Amino acid sequence: MTSLPARPTTPLPPLAHPDVIGRLTLEQKASLVSGADFWHTQGVPDAGIPSVMVTDGPHGLRKQGEQSDAVGLGGSNPATCFPPAVALASSWDPDAVRRVGAAIADEARAEQIAVVLGPGINIKRSPLCGRNFEYASEDPFVAGVFGAAMVEGIQSRGVGSSLKHFAANNQETDRLRVSADVDERTLREIYLPAFEHVVTTQQPTTVMCSYNKINGTYSSQNPWLLTDLLRGEWGFEGLVVSDWGAVSDPVAAVAAGLDLEMPPSGGQAVIVDAVRDGRLDEAVLDVAADRLLTLLDRTGDALAAQDPALDDEAYARHHDLAREVALGSAVLLENDGTLPLDPSGAGRIGVVGAFASEPRYQGAGSSQVVPTRLDDALTAIRAVAGEDRVDFAPGFRLDGTVDEALADEAVAVARDADAVVAFLGLPGVAESEGYDRTTMSLPDDQLALLEKLVGVNDKVVVVLSNGSAVTVTEWRDGTAAILEGWLLGQAGGSATADLLFGVASPSGRLTETIPHHLEDTPSYLNFPGGDGHVLYGEGLHVGYRYYDTLHVPVAYPFGYGLTYTTFEYGEPSATPAADRGPNSWDVHVTVTNTGDRAGSEVVQVYVHDVAARVPRPAHELRGFRKVSLEPGASADVLVPLDARAFAFWSLRDHRWEVEAGEFVIEVGASSHDVRGRVTVTSDGDGAARHLDATSTIGEWLTDPVGAQVLGAALAAAGEAGGMLAVASDPGADAGWAEMVRQMPIGKVVSFTDAVTRDQVDQLVAAYEAASAAR
């Protein structure tokens, strides 16, 4: 587990506004680190410091008017509801994400919002997490690219963003106090990289700390997390804000690096007292208050512009954008050729399922948007196929109440149809912020209905509406096609119709593995924990890292998705990219659309370490690119890889390390569908290693300096080298030599008289001298 200092070890930065801070009283400075109310920061009018408004908005604004509380979810101003992260990230299209971010920011400017509280980029550790619909992926690379694109889009319009929830926030059960007990390497390789990427590439205006503890310490008062890592190591320059209600100890929070508590909880007086009695350094408070002023600087121009309210034409453009990105987000899981449906055919289409007319288009909780308009799929299907050609039956109730009459009506519609489109999924109450799911199955009444539908019609197309993965193994074989629609936002209904009738080809790909059973998931035995703790016992092996390393069969692998055309890959190649630094490569592959329809392919690049000294997953996604091609067209796809693509977090040296040796670069269409491989050789990162008496003889022999020093000592010792010589003697018994290689060099003195402690100390001293001379 990560060892946490009692206070930050990173020095305090100089103030950006020393004149303003110098004029404030202690009470005024303390007021700036606590909100004025649920949505507003505190201002100091006498000092010219305004109060500004922040609001929820990962996929659309939730600006409340007169009502300001956590539960007024339906009382916010209308705004465009774009597809939530579960769908938008499935587009694998950073440009689309940037455009959505910019559109949300334009609506924020018109509403005089300083900071949009998003995006969320926590890792999907378990498919049961009730808030997975707000998050991008089980993979940190995908989550980081998604988050960076969203932040870039939002901040391109002068509006602030809030990257959340930092960190290791991967469940809703006991979310306000649970301790995520996770080892250092797993934190560094799985749960922190997405945040690191966004911070280091985009400098988000704010980072929002999470509710939970990490290894026993609340994120809101975690000095290693909020200061030493975020600011000292990653160079974050913005403001750290609490999740709403995440602060337990306002003084400890400010001391650790939290700059703004939201909403206020009476911490101002406590902070003033702490400064006066010496428990809190006033200089620390000065820096926190100063960061609020920096936030005002970064968002001031957008607010000062006083953008007028958006007109109907602007909202129509945003609705069109919502439809466009929804088209690119749905994932086609199965298709026997039934899709696309013929828009001008004579056959009858039966539409079944309450979600067709009452769409489930977003998740529940703080991100819930009141949409400017709402497309339903039934209306859109009738608009394409013709009113008289489409029959509809809801089939089930959204509240889960079993209604046999509705089911019988749906079966009758299916019996008379040439093709059936069944809209199934999870009702809103099944997944939400605030609690986790308990099952991956569709509701029993929907499964019973589907069984009856496939019993009377062999052309049943299932369209799913859900915010996190559901199991399909028990029912998919009876279907003709499955379109995983996730939650597609306010224009999802019309986008779904376009995909069903081939106006556009599906181009989404899975950003999370769909297992056969809940019990197959790597976190199953530990999620969601108990007694205030959850053990991240699966370590690095989250999602496909687990399934692919252990060869666990899955329903659909990470990165998977079908479309209405086919793609052929050429032989990949990799060339050194020295201009980006050592251990950087450019991966090239030619992709050709070999079908008769236009379509998009997501080219995915994975890296496998052939002979790592530490356990590593079978392969890890390190790059991707989405390309759109007309029939017969080809494209040379370039995916750049930097040194981090080959690195692991060393527990020995507490840093990222690239080993010398061979790496296999895999290029393909999913984590299972590898179309080509190329092997590259790394010289390693060349960083100095530190050897001492606790280092093994094998480690001495594989270290360039260590091998030189040890070799010289053995040459001088001759036959007296004894056990040490065995480790490097090619003629020695292999088992005996390997046992010696795994022995710490300082322990040799316990097993032979030929080596003394003084000689070991001399070896270490010689190594240190030789290392210093390099």
Side-chain angles (χ1 to χ4, degrees):
M1 306 300 178
T2 301
S3 177
L4 301 176
R7 59 180 58 84
T9 59
T10 302
L12 292 174
L15 297 178
H17 310 83
D19 294 342
V20 178
I21 296 297
R23 293 195 303 268
L24 298 178
T25 67
L26 173 59
E27 288 76 9
Q28 288 172 328
K29 287 184 287 189
S31 74
L32 292 179
V33 300
S34 182
D37 58 26
F38 204 82
W39 295 119
H40 293 83
T41 65
Q42 181 70 52
V44 182
D46 292 345
I49 301 174
S51 169
V52 297
M53 187 175 188
V54 303
T55 196
D56 290 319
H59 56 269
L61 288 187
R62 185 174 77 89
K63 180 186 178 182
Q64 291 180 301
E66 296 299 321
Q67 188 179 30
S68 292
D69 56 44
V71 296
L73 300 179
S76 56
N77 297 347
T80 306
C81 181
F82 292 96
V86 61
L88 189 53
S90 298
S91 73
W92 296 65
D93 187 346
D95 181 63
V97 178
R98 277 189 289 271
R99 292 161 61 204
V100 168
I104 292 172
D106 282 340
E107 295 189 18
R109 287 174 65 111
E111 292 281 4
Q112 287 287 285
I113 299 298
V115 177
V116 171
L117 301 176
I121 59 168
N122 293 100
I123 296 300
K124 297 185 180 185
R125 177 181 177 233
S126 167
L128 296 182
C129 176
R131 211 167 180 177
N132 271 357
F133 60 84
E134 284 192 55
Y135 303 141
S137 181
E138 68 188 28
D139 179 77
F141 185 86
V142 172
V145 171
F146 168 85
M150 182 63 77
V151 167
E152 182 180 5
I154 293 170
Q155 296 187 173
S156 70
R157 304 295 292 131
V159 175
S161 65
S162 193
L163 187 66
K164 61 183 188 180
H165 304 88
F166 189 57
N169 180 201
N170 311 101
Q171 66 187 62
E172 294 299 284
T173 301
D174 202 18
R175 65 174 180 158
L176 294 176
R177 61 178 185 175
V178 71
S179 176
D181 296 339
V182 54
D183 68 90
E184 177 186 351
R185 188 173 168 212
T186 299
L187 264 178
R188 289 287 192 165
E189 294 195 23
I190 302 296
Y191 296 102
L192 294 177
F195 289 96
E196 179 184 3
H197 177 74
V198 181
V199 167
T200 57
T201 63
Q202 300 301 325
Q203 278 293 341
T205 318
T206 75
V207 168
M208 182 187 294
C209 81
S210 56
Y211 288 122
N212 56 285
K213 302 170 187 171
I214 299 176
N215 298 333
T217 301
Y218 279 111
S219 294
S220 62
Q221 55 195 60
N222 190 320
W224 173 80
L225 184 73
L226 301 185
T227 298
D228 293 335
L229 177 73
L230 181 61
R231 299 190 186 280
E233 188 174 323
W234 297 349
F236 179 59
E237 298 172 355
L239 175 142
V240 176
V241 61
S242 73
D243 201 345
W244 267 230
V247 174
S248 297
D249 183 336
V251 175
V254 173
L258 187 87
D259 305 307
L260 177 62
E261 179 187 4
M262 291 295 291
S265 67
Q268 178 179 348
V270 177
I271 290 170
V272 169
D273 290 343
V275 171
R276 285 180 172 156
D277 65 23
R279 288 180 294 122
L280 178 65
D281 186 347
E282 188 168 359
V284 174
L285 176 61
D286 289 350
V287 169
D290 188 61
R291 288 176 180 142
L292 179 66
L293 302 184
T294 298
L295 181 150
L296 299 178
D297 291 343
R298 293 183 67 176
T299 60
D301 288 346
L303 297 178
Q306 291 285 322
D307 286 9
L310 298 184
D311 58 19
D312 291 344
E313 183 179 346
Y315 280 116
R317 289 195 302 270
H318 288 181
H319 184 80
D320 290 342
L321 175 60
R323 180 173 179 170
E324 177 190 339
V325 296
L327 278 173
S329 299
V331 183
L332 184 61
L333 299 178
E334 297 281 352
N335 187 20
D336 67 358
T338 298
L339 292 182
L341 301 173
D342 186 352
S344 58
R348 301 201 64 76
I349 298 173
V351 176
V352 171
F355 293 114
S357 59
E358 301 175 69
R360 171 123 193 276
Y361 56 97
Q362 64 176 326
S366 62
S367 67
Q368 196 165 308
V369 177
V370 175
T372 57
R373 55 188 278 196
L374 183 59
D375 296 353
D376 69 86
L378 177 60
T379 299
I381 289 171
R382 283 174 166 163
V384 174
E387 188 84 18
D388 296 338
R389 190 180 163 205
V390 178
D391 298 314
F392 171 66
F396 56 86
R397 297 186 182 277
L398 291 178
D399 63 5
T401 302
V402 176
D403 191 322
E404 293 296 342
L406 287 180
D408 292 344
E409 179 190 9
V411 172
V413 166
R415 184 179 289 111
D416 294 337
D418 294 281
V420 177
V421 182
F423 286 82
L424 309 178
L426 299 178
V429 71
E431 51 186 351
S432 169
E433 175 183 358
Y435 53 88
D436 292 318
R437 297 160 64 196
T438 58
T439 176
M440 287 187 67
S441 297
L442 290 174
D444 290 343
D445 60 333
Q446 294 185 37
L447 292 175
L449 173 63
L450 179 59
E451 184 177 3
K452 294 175 180 178
L453 296 178
V454 299
V456 299
N457 195 306
D458 61 0
K459 295 294 184 184
V460 176
V461 175
V462 174
V463 178
L464 291 171
S465 297
N466 47 291
S468 186
V470 296
T471 51
V472 301
T473 302
E474 65 268 36
W475 53 263
R476 65 177 174 178
D477 288 345
T479 63
I482 304 173
L483 182 66
E484 174 56 270
W486 303 118
L487 304 176
L488 289 176
Q490 68 180 50
S494 53
T496 299
D498 286 345
L499 293 171
L500 292 173
F501 288 101
V503 176
S505 295
S507 64
R509 301 293 187 269
L510 294 178
T511 62
E512 56 189 295
T513 306
I514 300 180
H516 282 302
H517 311 285
L518 173 61
E519 293 81 2
D520 295 335
T521 59
S523 64
Y524 177 73
L525 293 177
N526 293 302
F527 184 96
D531 289 340
H533 290 264
V534 54
L535 177 64
Y536 284 46
E538 69 280 3
L540 303 173
H541 295 95
V542 175
Y544 71 89
R545 286 169 167 79
Y546 168 80
Y547 300 111
D548 295 358
T549 301
L550 275 67
H551 304 290
V552 176
V554 299
Y556 302 105
F558 175 84
Y560 171 87
L562 303 175
T563 186
Y564 296 151
T565 188
T566 54
F567 294 94
E568 183 178 283
Y569 285 61
E571 195 67 29
S573 64
T575 56
D579 57 316
R580 295 200 305 274
N583 299 306
S584 295
W585 300 82
D586 284 333
V587 180
H588 293 267
V589 66
T590 299
V591 178
T592 302
N593 182 343
T594 53
D596 57 5
R597 285 177 175 265
S600 297
E601 177 71 322
V602 177
V603 178
Q604 300 161 44
V605 175
Y606 298 81
V607 172
H608 165 66
D609 190 340
V610 175
R613 77 160 195 266
V614 297
R616 300 189 70 172
H619 56 187
E620 297 175 276
L621 182 79
R622 296 309 197 196
F624 65 85
R625 184 180 167 197
K626 189 172 190 176
V627 290
S628 298
L629 295 171
E630 294 296 321
S634 299
D636 179 23
V637 178
L638 165 64
V639 180
L641 301 180
D642 61 15
R644 186 68 170 268
F646 304 91
F648 68 91
W649 182 261
S650 169
L651 292 175
R652 181 184 69 186
D653 300 322
H654 304 288
R655 66 170 185 84
W656 291 102
E657 180 176 331
V658 179
E659 285 189 284
E662 289 188 343
F663 292 84
V664 176
I665 298 173
E666 303 173 342
V667 179
S670 79
S671 72
H672 284 191
D673 187 6
V674 175
R675 304 292 183 89
R677 294 176 172 86
V678 58
T679 300
V680 300
T681 301
S682 166
D683 294 329
D685 54 24
R689 306 286 187 264
H690 179 75
L691 299 180
D692 57 24
T694 67
S695 301
T696 67
I697 296 171
E699 289 169 346
W700 276 78
L701 290 172
T702 55
D703 182 273
V705 178
Q708 180 183 6
V709 170
L710 184 57
L714 289 174
E719 292 185 4
M723 285 182 64
L724 290 177
V726 169
S728 57
D729 182 359
D733 176 79
W736 172 233
E738 180 59 26
M739 184 175 72
V740 173
R741 279 192 289 268
Q742 293 194 30
M743 183 180 296
I745 200 165
K747 294 291 185 181
V748 173
V749 299
S750 299
F751 295 90
T752 178
D753 294 333
V755 180
T756 67
R757 292 192 182 279
D758 284 345
Q759 289 173 318
V760 172
D761 291 342
Q762 291 168 10
L763 276 175
V764 173
Y767 169 80
E768 291 175 345
S771 297
R774 293 190 77 181

